[in-house]
Amino acid sequence: MDFSSPLCRSPLSISRARARARRWRQSRTGTAVVVVSALMISSTAWLSLVFSGTTARCWHRFKNREGSPHTVQWKPQSQKPNRNGKDDGISSLSTAPSLQLGRNRSLSEAERREVDAGLTLDHIVFGIAGSSQLWKRRREFIRLWWRKNSMRGHVWLEEKVDDKEWDESLPEIMISEDTSRFRYTNPTGHPSGLRIARILLETFRLRLSDVKWFVLGDDDTIFNVDNLVHVLSKYDYNEMVYVGGSSESHSANTYFSHNMAYGGGGIAISYPLAESLFSILDDCLERYHKFYGSDDRLHACISELGVPLSREIGFHQWDIRGSAHGLLSSHPVAPFVSIHHVEAVDPFYPGLSSLDNLKLFTKAMKVDPMSFLQRSICYDHAGSLSFSVSLGYTIQVFPGIVPPWMLERSEMTYSAWNKIHNRNEFDLDTRDPFKSVCKRPVLFFLEDVERQGNTTLGTYVRARVKGDMKRKFFCFTHSAPLPYVESIQVLGYPLKKNWHLSPRRLCCKLNQTSDELLTISVRQCEKGSCGSFAYSM
């Protein structure tokens, strides 16, 4: 028999158990009531505090003070020479500057106007890496873009050259310091990379006044200095800024870095960054003795300072060989700033020597720096023709209607610096050339260009190329485009100064004046689509 069963209990024990259960239930209910009441009271108190007028006013005052440009901040200053080479010798409490910018951040439109108003070529100092053995030839490249009366800078050579090899139209020649004390252990490179990496340090040591930017390049680099000023105006030179472009070669970017500015295309370094590098560069070079060249060493040292690359696609390293036509005829919608390796590619314009070719190239660049190499696309639907205009270089006339997305791709007319000719080798949007001669464009190359008031007038002449005879025999059902036109005139209208801040491809309009002459007008597109201006004739 189970004596624990309720049936075997006495009436007294049963009543006691019921009383204990009743008290336990009452205590649980009381606890729940207390907890709920406490939560309600605390919530009510919190809501009344948050939504009270005093709290709201204090919160808004705090937010306004936090975002105010007049917030007082501590700016400890070490006793370092200022830009004029003098010791300030003070550590002070100063108000924050009117341009409160994060490191490497692009300026807003209002801020950019303020900076641009004061930035000129005179605020930029160039450090050009040269070679004494190549100077007699390379100096002619520098002469094409250097402006002796409005630019500052030096060519840095490893040893002296004959005084007859220099004249006043060129930048001053400086002799680099001996770098034999530094280790160089890269098995494939050359120790000159150490010398070139220190050009920034040696230029900074000259303590030139009122310097805002240091620009480094090679003696076979062509700079468009007007566009360089516009591009650098996007940034605050009071911050540590590192500007440049990558290589066209995927292999080169993978080996070195996709976040490295290549020296041949040009490297722009703001004064504060140069000042910071000045104090660490020599020690940093010792740490990277296994590196290949100068630009990878600079990049490694700049990375130690926490400054990323501000990539600008108008800086062109040009790690290419052969014909540069595919790159020149499809320049990105951005100001053209520089090209490198001008000796390693074929002449841009048919029938000209290497130097005469560059003279015409830089002439077109100087006549209209802003729109130089900018592309426009328009169509003649009645004649079933597509036009791709690269200002200052070439006009391509395609048979049939070729969509813009295809014309915007760079035609593979070149190979990489490592001699690989494969679309996967390039960090570009590329396309293979048309295999059928019947689909290939007729080319018109720049013959001359001049300024007429606010506009430019360029004359482009039909080129005789391989395949012309083959086209006549095999494409008789589709004759070459514009068979009787020998030249095309392009009228270029001025662009707005800040067009590159909201970039858009230019618009063009066709005007057939006669069977022998075609005129094309090119201008900046208005808001909305190009409409009939781009697609009618």
Side-chain angles (χ1 to χ4, degrees):
M1 184 174 179
D2 186 4
F3 291 96
S4 64
S5 171
L7 297 175
C8 301
R9 293 181 184 178
S10 64
L12 181 60
S13 62
I14 292 174
S15 62
R16 288 177 179 175
R18 289 176 177 173
R20 285 195 298 270
R22 189 181 303 112
R23 287 195 301 271
W24 181 77
R25 285 194 300 270
Q26 290 174 350
S27 65
R28 286 187 62 190
T29 302
T31 301
V33 170
V34 171
V35 170
V36 171
S37 300
L39 288 173
M40 292 179 64
I41 293 171
S42 61
S43 297
T44 302
W46 180 80
L47 291 173
S48 63
L49 179 63
V50 169
F51 292 104
S52 68
T54 303
T55 303
R57 286 192 298 272
C58 292
W59 172 252
H60 287 301
R61 287 177 182 175
F62 173 76
K63 291 294 289 182
N64 292 336
R65 182 178 182 274
E66 186 182 41
S68 172
H70 303 292
T71 302
V72 177
Q73 298 178 349
W74 281 103
K75 284 199 169 183
Q77 299 176 352
S78 59
Q79 296 185 7
K80 294 182 180 180
N82 61 18
R83 298 191 184 187
N84 296 319
K86 300 178 181 179
D87 282 345
D88 293 323
I90 58 173
S91 177
S92 61
L93 179 67
S94 61
T95 58
S98 58
L99 296 179
Q100 300 234 343
L101 303 171
R103 177 177 294 170
N104 246 20
R105 185 174 71 82
S106 295
L107 300 175
S108 68
E109 178 63 19
E111 294 167 337
R112 197 208 62 76
R113 284 196 300 268
E114 181 178 343
V115 173
D116 188 33
L119 185 64
T120 66
L121 272 176
D122 192 53
H123 297 129
I124 301 174
V125 174
F126 288 83
I128 304 170
S131 167
S132 300
Q133 287 73 30
L134 301 175
W135 172 243
K136 190 173 183 178
R137 184 172 75 251
R138 296 280 180 86
R139 64 181 179 178
E140 300 304 322
F141 302 150
I142 300 175
R143 199 189 307 275
L144 294 172
W145 59 271
W146 186 259
R147 302 177 189 174
K148 64 175 182 177
N149 296 324
S150 57
M151 297 175 63
R152 295 189 292 173
H154 310 86
V155 175
W156 294 85
L157 303 179
E158 75 277 15
E159 60 184 12
K160 291 184 178 180
V161 294
D162 190 339
D163 291 340
K164 296 179 181 179
E165 296 182 4
W166 179 84
D167 57 66
E168 293 183 354
S169 64
L170 295 168
E172 183 181 355
I173 292 177
M174 303 288 283
I175 306 303
S176 300
E177 293 180 358
D178 180 26
T179 56
S180 58
R181 68 183 185 277
F182 294 95
R183 287 186 297 168
Y184 186 91
T185 58
N186 188 286
T188 60
H190 193 275
S192 61
L194 289 166
R195 178 183 72 86
I196 296 173
R198 296 184 77 252
I199 287 177
L200 176 67
L201 181 148
E202 295 189 61
T203 303
F204 187 88
R205 187 180 290 158
L206 298 176
R207 298 292 181 178
L208 301 178
S209 62
D210 202 19
V211 178
K212 297 176 180 177
W213 292 93
F214 295 88
V215 174
L216 310 175
D218 289 352
D219 53 3
D220 61 341
T221 301
I222 302 292
F223 282 101
N224 186 338
V225 293
D226 295 293
N227 284 352
L228 175 65
V229 172
H230 285 296
V231 169
L232 294 184
S233 297
K234 293 167 55 178
Y235 302 94
D236 181 11
Y237 50 76
N238 296 303
E239 298 288 339
M240 292 199 292
V241 189
Y242 170 50
V243 183
S246 301
S247 172
E248 292 78 11
S249 170
H250 179 72
S251 297
N253 290 330
T254 301
Y255 178 79
F256 293 104
S257 174
H258 286 264
N259 296 313
M260 182 186 85
Y262 281 70
I267 303 173
I269 294 176
S270 65
Y271 188 96
L273 178 55
E275 187 176 34
S276 297
L277 285 171
F278 176 76
S279 60
I280 70 166
L281 189 59
D282 280 349
D283 290 337
C284 187
L285 293 180
E286 283 288 355
R287 287 193 290 277
Y288 298 107
H289 57 88
K290 294 183 180 180
F291 278 34
Y292 178 87
S294 59
D295 35 18
D296 54 346
R297 283 176 165 80
L298 277 176
H299 171 244
C301 298
I302 292 172
S303 296
E304 290 188 1
L305 296 173
V307 181
L309 173 65
S310 296
R311 185 177 286 102
E312 290 289 343
I313 55 179
F315 290 79
H316 299 291
Q317 170 69 11
W318 268 33
D319 283 335
I320 62 170
R321 300 178 188 271
S323 172
H325 173 76
L327 288 178
L328 290 172
S329 60
S330 60
H331 192 275
V333 184
F336 165 79
V337 177
S338 66
I339 55 170
H340 182 222
H341 288 150
V342 292
E343 291 182 300
V345 294
D346 301 336
F348 306 149
Y349 308 100
L352 296 180
S353 66
S354 177
L355 186 57
D356 288 340
N357 149 81
L358 289 174
K359 287 180 179 178
L360 180 58
F361 185 80
T362 52
K363 179 182 180 180
M365 178 181 74
K366 294 174 182 177
V367 167
D368 192 359
M370 297 285 285
S371 61
F372 181 61
L373 291 185
Q374 291 308 301
R375 184 179 60 253
S376 59
I377 298 172
C378 44
Y379 298 90
D380 172 15
H381 286 282
S384 188
L385 298 176
S386 303
F387 292 77
S388 178
V389 181
S390 180
L391 287 174
Y393 174 56
T394 190
I395 301 171
Q396 301 178 91
V397 186
F398 294 83
I401 302 301
V402 185
W405 68 266
M406 181 176 292
L407 295 179
E408 288 176 347
R409 291 183 169 184
S410 174
E411 182 182 358
M412 283 280 297
T413 61
Y414 45 84
S415 61
W417 192 253
N418 55 15
K419 300 182 179 180
I420 295 178
H421 184 78
N422 187 298
R423 288 182 59 187
N424 295 329
E425 171 58 22
F426 297 94
D427 282 342
L428 303 167
D429 191 9
T430 60
R431 63 177 175 85
D432 292 324
F434 289 108
K435 294 182 179 180
S436 171
V437 68
C438 302
K439 294 183 178 181
R440 294 176 188 172
V442 172
L443 303 178
F444 294 77
F445 287 97
L446 179 71
E447 181 183 57
D448 199 10
V449 62
E450 61 181 356
R451 177 168 287 279
Q452 296 183 347
N454 290 330
T455 61
T456 59
L457 180 63
T459 301
Y460 298 74
V461 178
R462 193 186 195 102
R464 306 301 176 185
V465 296
K466 293 181 180 179
D468 283 351
M469 294 299 296
K470 187 182 293 185
R471 187 195 294 267
K472 291 182 179 180
F473 285 103
F474 293 98
C475 311
F476 56 91
T477 56
H478 302 283
S479 61
L482 308 177
Y484 304 109
V485 175
E486 292 297 323
S487 65
I488 299 177
Q489 290 185 336
V490 176
L491 187 62
Y493 291 88
L495 305 181
K496 295 179 181 179
K497 185 177 180 180
N498 302 326
W499 70 272
H500 58 286
L501 300 181
S502 55
R504 185 180 181 190
R505 192 180 68 238
L506 304 184
C507 290
C508 57
K509 184 177 182 179
L510 311 174
N511 182 23
Q512 184 98 36
T513 56
S514 67
D515 290 340
E516 294 80 21
L517 180 64
L518 177 68
T519 302
I520 301 178
S521 300
V522 177
R523 66 180 65 195
Q524 186 171 352
C525 292
E526 301 298 331
K527 293 183 179 180
S529 64
C530 290
S532 60
F533 187 77
Y535 298 105
S536 67
M537 179 173 180

